[in-house]
Amino acid sequence: MVITTTIAADSDEFLYCTFASRYVRSPVPRFKMPEKSMPKEAAYQVINDELMLDGNPRLNLASFVTTWMEPECNDLILASINKNYVDMDEYPVTTELQNRCVNMIAHLFHAPVGDDETAVGVGTVGSSEAIMLAGLAFKRKWQNKRKAEGKPYDKPNIVTGANVQVCWEKFARYFEVELKEVKLKEGYYVMDPVKAVEMVDENTICVAAILGSTLTGEFEDVKLLNELLTKKNEETGWDIPIHVDAASGGFVAPFVCPDLPWDFRLPLVKSINVSGHKYGLVYPGVGWVVWRAKEDLPEELIFHINYLGSDQPTFTLNFSKGSSQIIAQYYQFIRLGFEGYKKVIENCMENTRVLKGGLEKTGRFDIVSKDVGVPLVAFSLKDSSKYSVFDMSENLRRFGWIIPAYTIPADAEQIAVLRVVVREDFSRSLAERLIWHIEQVLEEMDSLPIQMSTKAATVKKQLESTEGQKVVKKSEKEMQEEITRYWRRLVDGKRIGVC
């Protein structure tokens, strides 16, 4: 109970209990600003009480985003939370820390930068902004070349796999670039380099490869893509480059797969983005994009301003942003070093193996994710005739776990999986506890009355309706959703509290 002492504007009371005050007895307007002020303690309590209904970030296994940092770093974040990063002249040390981070990342990714040279890159609010900036650089460079050659430059395209994150679709739509997607297939859930190179043409501004697919965590074969695309460029006279979306895998591969060539060691890789707030081990949001060389970032995209002090170059989609995450990233780099990051990622990989082994022991799942990739386990039910992965996801929430269930994009929509992301703060004990809860959910769903499986079969039949001589079938995903709705109604009365 919070006790506050204040003078109420419309009352003679000086002492009151927050939960007995009018501030919590009367509803706060949801979509309009309140007419009157309220004490700071009451405002805190109102908001804090609502936030209790949010999920626990530590148990949110859907997200790659960092949910724990050391107290010392939290102190640095709080101390710099009021610094606007764009004020470079006023906060020169923060700017210097950002530049150090860019250079550390560039060297980690084997950029051809000398010890006394400065790498080309910038901090962003996340990989989405980083991808937008990289895409703009590719588009502008392609347009400039086409203009110089007297060729049309109004129909640029980019080639990716259908497994790309939605930010690539945003880039294509927002900046008028055609998105050419390599479809997936059952058993192969990343971009096929052979098919990708077959889809490129003279209007392709780049091919985007993913180091750590969001769907399965798998690393795409950037080396093979580089070889095939080099041959294609030689045959056609084109100069199509590669961008590597290393949002998830950029801070994984260097520490557990150091000999894997995916970065600037490959000549056609011209830019790389990585998320500092994923396996860079920093709270959201911070991302990075680095270019191979200065000529890969067209100068006309860089703006120069002086109304905040001295001349300041800027290449970002937004202007103002906090300095805290930049400082936190630098803290992690010097605090952990290469050795520390390696130990953290190796531990994540070990806990991933523990989780995978536990799931395999049940005999109920097919593991879809690969051993070489980011620390996650994606798995599907071997038998989904009685219940689906969507049902499992729903029931695991009773124990506090947030685990997404989803279908694989075209052309593998018939595959539905659950995915658990293993982060730094997902310990072995939590992995073992999750396995136990999954076994409990399986046992409970197996014990459902027989009418559940009968109903599931009936629902499937009903979803196949006949119109004259034509049979209209709903997709597997639609049928699963229908079965899930029935399941939820059936077990609604059996729910238990969140542990």
Side-chain angles (χ1 to χ4, degrees):
M1 183 175 293
V2 178
I3 304 296
T4 61
T5 303
T6 187
I7 299 177
D10 56 353
S11 170
D12 292 331
E13 295 182 41
F14 290 86
L15 180 68
Y16 64 87
C17 169
T18 296
F19 287 111
S21 71
R22 65 180 175 87
Y23 303 107
V24 294
R25 285 186 293 169
S26 302
V28 176
R30 294 180 62 193
F31 304 117
K32 289 185 178 180
M33 186 180 293
E35 292 294 328
K36 296 183 179 180
S37 304
M38 68 171 66
K40 60 182 182 296
E41 296 87 353
Y44 169 84
Q45 196 71 59
V46 167
I47 297 172
N48 184 67
D49 288 354
E50 279 207 77
L51 289 175
M52 289 193 301
L53 299 175
D54 262 348
N56 183 339
R58 293 280 302 277
L59 299 181
N60 179 10
L61 305 183
S63 176
F64 292 82
V65 173
T66 296
T67 52
W68 179 86
M69 296 189 76
E70 291 177 327
E72 291 78 7
C73 193
N74 291 339
D75 291 342
L76 285 172
I77 289 172
L78 187 60
S80 58
I81 204 165
N82 59 349
K83 289 184 180 179
N84 186 358
Y85 172 74
V86 76
D87 294 337
M88 299 178 186
D89 194 48
E90 287 77 4
Y91 309 121
V93 176
T94 301
T95 301
E96 170 65 16
L97 297 187
Q98 190 242 207
N99 293 338
R100 293 179 190 176
C101 288
V102 167
N103 281 270
M104 289 179 182
I105 294 169
H107 284 288
L108 185 67
F109 295 166
H110 298 95
V113 179
D115 293 336
D116 57 346
E117 294 180 312
T118 302
V120 180
V122 65
T124 63
V125 293
S127 275
S128 292
E129 184 189 8
I131 284 168
M132 301 285 177
L133 298 178
L136 283 172
F138 282 120
K139 181 182 178 182
R140 184 57 58 88
K141 191 171 182 180
W142 173 83
Q143 286 178 325
N144 290 344
K145 182 180 179 182
R146 298 282 290 183
K147 289 178 184 178
E149 295 173 346
K151 297 178 180 179
Y153 54 91
D154 60 333
K155 294 182 179 180
N157 69 66
I158 190 168
V159 177
T160 71
N163 56 312
V164 292
Q165 213 261 1
V166 69
C167 59
W168 283 100
E169 298 178 39
K170 289 182 178 180
F171 165 74
R173 189 177 302 177
Y174 295 167
F175 296 103
E176 298 181 322
V177 175
E178 178 190 1
L179 186 66
K180 300 171 72 172
E181 292 186 341
V182 178
K183 303 302 181 184
L184 311 182
K185 62 182 179 181
E186 187 171 346
Y188 194 87
Y189 306 120
V190 292
M191 180 180 69
D192 184 340
V194 175
K195 293 182 178 179
V197 174
E198 290 174 353
M199 293 177 68
V200 302
D201 57 35
E202 63 179 351
N203 294 321
T204 302
I205 63 175
C206 82
V207 179
I210 304 178
L211 193 77
S213 171
T214 300
L215 303 177
T216 62
E218 188 175 351
F219 294 161
E220 292 185 342
D221 194 339
V222 189
K223 181 176 182 292
L224 178 57
L225 176 63
N226 182 83
E227 293 171 355
L228 295 174
L229 196 54
T230 297
K231 184 178 179 181
K232 185 82 168 184
N233 286 339
E234 291 173 351
E235 292 173 351
T236 60
W238 300 336
D239 187 23
I240 300 171
I242 296 172
H243 174 85
V244 178
D245 179 356
S248 301
F251 286 125
V252 173
F255 307 108
V256 293
C257 305
D259 297 326
L260 180 69
W262 63 271
D263 51 17
F264 292 120
R265 286 171 288 184
L266 303 174
L268 290 184
V269 174
K270 302 299 182 182
S271 56
I272 301 172
N273 69 277
V274 64
S275 291
H277 58 223
K278 292 183 179 178
Y279 290 102
L281 308 180
V282 176
Y283 294 138
V286 59
W288 305 91
V289 56
V290 289
W291 283 268
R292 182 183 195 87
K294 186 176 181 180
E295 56 267 23
D296 294 312
L297 175 57
E299 177 64 31
E300 66 261 35
L301 293 178
I302 302 173
F303 289 83
H304 295 266
I305 61 170
N306 61 12
Y307 51 81
L308 293 175
S310 61
D311 178 70
Q312 299 170 10
T314 175
F315 178 40
T316 55
L317 293 182
N318 63 299
F319 195 61
S320 296
K321 66 178 178 181
S323 297
S324 296
Q325 271 62 25
I326 299 288
I327 294 169
Q329 184 75 84
Y330 185 68
Y331 171 88
Q332 292 290 57
F333 283 171
I334 66 169
R335 162 75 176 96
L336 295 174
F338 190 93
E339 177 190 31
Y341 269 93
K342 182 178 175 65
K343 288 182 177 179
V344 169
I345 301 303
E346 285 179 340
N347 188 53
C348 289
M349 300 301 285
E350 178 58 30
N351 290 332
T352 300
R353 286 187 284 270
V354 169
L355 178 59
K356 178 184 174 184
L359 293 170
E360 289 176 329
K361 282 183 179 179
T362 67
R364 307 292 294 275
F365 303 105
D366 289 320
I367 306 299
V368 176
S369 51
K370 305 297 183 182
D371 291 334
V372 178
V374 298
L376 67 79
V377 183
F379 53 102
S380 61
L381 277 167
K382 289 184 177 180
D383 180 9
S384 58
S385 61
K386 190 174 181 180
Y387 47 83
S388 69
V389 292
F390 301 98
D391 303 324
M392 291 196 61
S393 175
E394 180 75 12
N395 277 270
L396 285 167
R397 281 181 177 263
R398 294 182 294 135
F399 300 99
W401 301 107
I402 302 173
I403 300 177
Y406 53 86
T407 55
I408 303 294
D411 286 328
E413 301 97 327
Q414 70 275 16
I415 306 299
V417 301
L418 291 160
R419 187 198 67 201
V420 174
V421 176
V422 177
R423 299 188 302 269
E424 178 187 12
D425 57 347
F426 184 75
S427 64
R428 180 170 183 144
S429 61
L430 284 178
E432 292 171 345
R433 175 66 61 137
L434 174 58
I435 294 168
W436 181 44
H437 285 158
I438 288 175
E439 290 173 342
Q440 284 186 273
V441 167
L442 288 171
E443 182 178 350
E444 180 178 321
M445 292 195 292
D446 285 339
S447 66
L448 285 172
I450 190 65
Q451 67 257 32
M452 177 56 201
S453 57
T454 303
K455 175 65 178 179
T458 302
V459 169
K460 283 193 174 185
K461 289 181 179 179
Q462 291 176 345
L463 291 173
E464 299 179 0
S465 59
T466 303
E467 298 179 359
Q469 300 299 317
K470 182 180 179 182
V471 177
V472 180
K473 293 186 178 182
K474 289 194 175 183
S475 69
E476 181 70 18
K477 180 181 178 181
E478 291 172 318
M479 289 191 287
Q480 288 285 8
E481 289 174 347
E482 182 72 18
I483 294 170
T484 298
R485 285 193 289 272
Y486 174 77
W487 156 261
R488 288 173 180 170
R489 292 195 300 270
L490 184 67
V491 302
D492 190 58
K494 299 181 66 177
R495 295 186 182 280
I496 61 175
V498 175
C499 295

